[in-house]
Structures are given as C-alpha cells and as structure tokens.
Amino acid sequence: EIALVSTIRALGKTFGFFAVTLTFLFCLWIGYAFLFISRYSAEAWRIKIVRSWARAICHMLGMKIHVTGTPPKPPFFLVSNHLSYIDIILFFSLSDCIFVAKSEVSNWPFIGYLAKTAGTLFINRKQYRDIPRVNHLIREVIGVHQGVLLFPEGTSSAGEEILPFKPSLLQLPAEDNLEVCCAAIQYAALGGYPDAATSICWWGDMTFADHLWMLFKFPGFEARISFSDKTARGKNRKSIAGKAEEIVKYEFQKIN
C-alpha cells in the first residue's frame, strides 16, 4: 500500500513538473514577444520567470527551505558546494543568478532545453582551452539583473564533506579584485525515508531518471542553505579558491 501511494505521488509530481514548466515557458515566450525591443528588459523578464518557476517547483517537491544569512544581490559572483541538480532549483528560488554547467547537460532531453532557456553557461571540462572562453562569458553576463553561481568542486557529492575547489573559472574575481560570495547547502530526508546521501544528493553512477523518480516519490525533504557574511578575495585564482573553500566549509559545518 505504501509503495502504491508513493508511485501515485511520483506520477502526480511528474505531471505537475511538466505542467508547471510548460506554463512558465509559455509565459516566458509571450513576454519575449512584447519585450523584443530591449535586451535588458527581456533579461529581467527571464530572471523573474525563472525564479517564479523555481519557487513553484520547490513547493511541488515539498522542499522545506531553511535559509541562514542573506542571498547576494546582483551583480555578484557566488560559489557553493554541489550536491544535486536540485541545487539549481534551490538557488534559482532565492537569488537572481545563472549557472555554469558541464556541456553534457545541454544535450539532456528537455532538461538541456530548460538549462539553455535559463541562460546557463556550458563548459567542456575535457578541453582545457574552453576555460578562457567561459571566463570571458562570465564577465559578459554578470550585470544589474543577475549574478553568476559556480560550483568549484566540479562535481556533485554525497554531502559528507566539501571537495577541493578548482580555481579555473575564478579569473574574473582575480583580475578585477572582485569579492566572491560563498554559500553552503545540505539536504535532509524526512523521517521514514532513505538518508539524503542516497535519496536527494545525486552523485556517483546514479542515473538521472531513476534518481528523479525516487525523489518524486517522497512527500518532501529539507533544504538547508547558509549564505556567509564573509567573502573571498585574492590576487590569483588559486588563492581565491582556497579562501572560498574554507568559508564554505565553515558554513557547511553550521548546517550539519
């Protein structure tokens, strides 16, 4: 009986996800039709729609969000640890940002289209020469309407520790002496359901479809996020990455 209820819940959330997403996509493109004369007004409209969509999805998932600290206001450069694709929805619901993601995401059915629509920057991690291109794009997109969020670990984890930060995409903060804002996230499963490391965090060889279906079966879960009042600054990418990693580790300990 419990399994049947969970399956029905997952089916309902699957339908709800597509219904909500298609509705907001429709609103997005209708808005573009009226805002085509201004790039900046179109950008602001996209960010508003994406944030509203993310909040609706969080509600649908039963995500109970606990926030410590204050999300930064655009323009900003923000770094965080990375646990799951859910991180993106969580940050979208709280801040006006775009992400840097691995290029493979752009080819995922439907999800890739959503990522492109949300303004995601894609990087080919297998080609070192792609780093300067993405660093240039980061400089171009940060503005009055949006900041950039980077996951310097370079991959998601089970949420047991903070992985070493990679400095390759911190060129803009290094060149412009820009403050790097820091945040840490953690998830917690509700009673009676598998622990967050195996049910909410998406890492290792977990397939996306199987993990999402399992997540849809849950009535809800907790998302804890802590925005630090400290920022990382340095003369080069490596020093900034080291300082940011220490700040994120400290914030991570606070929410565990």
Side-chain angles (χ1 to χ4, degrees):
E1 184 178 345
I2 295 178
L4 177 60
V5 171
S6 296
T7 300
I8 293 174
R9 180 185 296 120
L11 288 171
K13 288 187 176 183
T14 300
F15 174 80
F17 174 82
F18 282 103
V20 168
T21 301
L22 291 174
T23 298
F24 277 102
L25 280 174
F26 177 76
C27 293
L28 177 68
W29 291 112
I30 287 295
Y32 280 169
F34 291 96
L35 298 170
F36 69 93
I37 57 173
S38 170
R39 169 194 166 191
Y40 296 102
S41 58
E43 186 178 82
W45 176 247
R46 172 180 56 78
I47 292 169
K48 181 179 180 64
I49 289 293
V50 169
R51 175 179 275 205
S52 299
W53 168 82
R55 289 178 174 176
I57 296 298
C58 286
H59 179 75
M60 185 207 74
L61 291 174
M63 188 191 303
K64 304 181 186 303
I65 303 173
H66 303 279
V67 181
T68 303
T70 305
K73 300 294 183 182
F76 62 80
F77 195 112
L78 174 65
V79 299
S80 171
N81 61 312
H82 189 23
L83 304 177
S84 173
Y85 49 87
I86 298 299
D87 305 347
I88 296 173
I89 301 173
L90 173 61
F91 275 106
F92 271 152
S93 73
L94 297 171
S95 60
D96 298 330
C97 64
I98 61 173
F99 294 80
V100 179
K102 59 183 180 180
S103 56
E104 292 87 341
V105 174
S106 65
N107 297 318
W108 290 1
F110 194 63
I111 300 299
Y113 173 74
L114 292 182
K116 293 174 185 176
T117 302
T120 303
L121 306 179
F122 298 103
I123 182 170
N124 187 335
R125 292 177 178 168
K126 298 177 182 179
Q127 295 185 1
Y128 184 80
R129 66 176 180 269
D130 201 34
I131 293 175
R133 180 188 68 85
V134 177
N135 274 315
H136 178 71
L137 289 177
I138 289 174
R139 177 181 293 278
E140 284 190 335
V141 299
I142 289 181
V144 294
H145 294 306
Q146 64 189 9
V148 166
L149 172 61
L150 179 67
F151 298 121
E153 292 170 304
T155 186
S156 54
S157 74
E160 297 173 351
E161 61 180 351
I162 303 299
L163 302 178
F165 278 14
K166 300 180 181 354
S168 56
L169 294 179
L170 294 170
Q171 188 63 36
L172 174 61
E175 289 182 346
D176 292 12
N177 194 30
L178 181 68
E179 290 184 336
V180 175
C181 303
C182 302
I185 53 177
Q186 182 62 289
Y187 298 108
L190 299 178
Y193 286 85
D195 64 281
T198 57
S199 61
I200 303 169
C201 299
W202 183 53
W203 55 283
D205 58 357
M206 299 178 184
T207 65
F208 175 76
D210 289 343
H211 185 271
L212 183 62
W213 179 252
M214 177 174 62
L215 188 68
F216 279 172
K217 287 184 176 182
F218 297 168
F221 59 94
E222 290 185 355
R224 305 168 189 158
I225 181 167
S226 180
F227 293 95
S228 178
D229 57 358
K230 298 180 180 178
T231 58
R233 219 168 194 164
K235 296 181 179 180
N236 57 67
R237 295 180 296 183
K238 189 173 181 179
S239 66
I240 296 173
K243 293 175 183 178
E245 183 180 330
E246 290 304 312
I247 295 173
V248 172
K249 283 181 177 178
Y250 176 77
E251 298 300 321
F252 187 70
Q253 292 174 352
K254 287 166 55 176
I255 56 178
N256 275 280

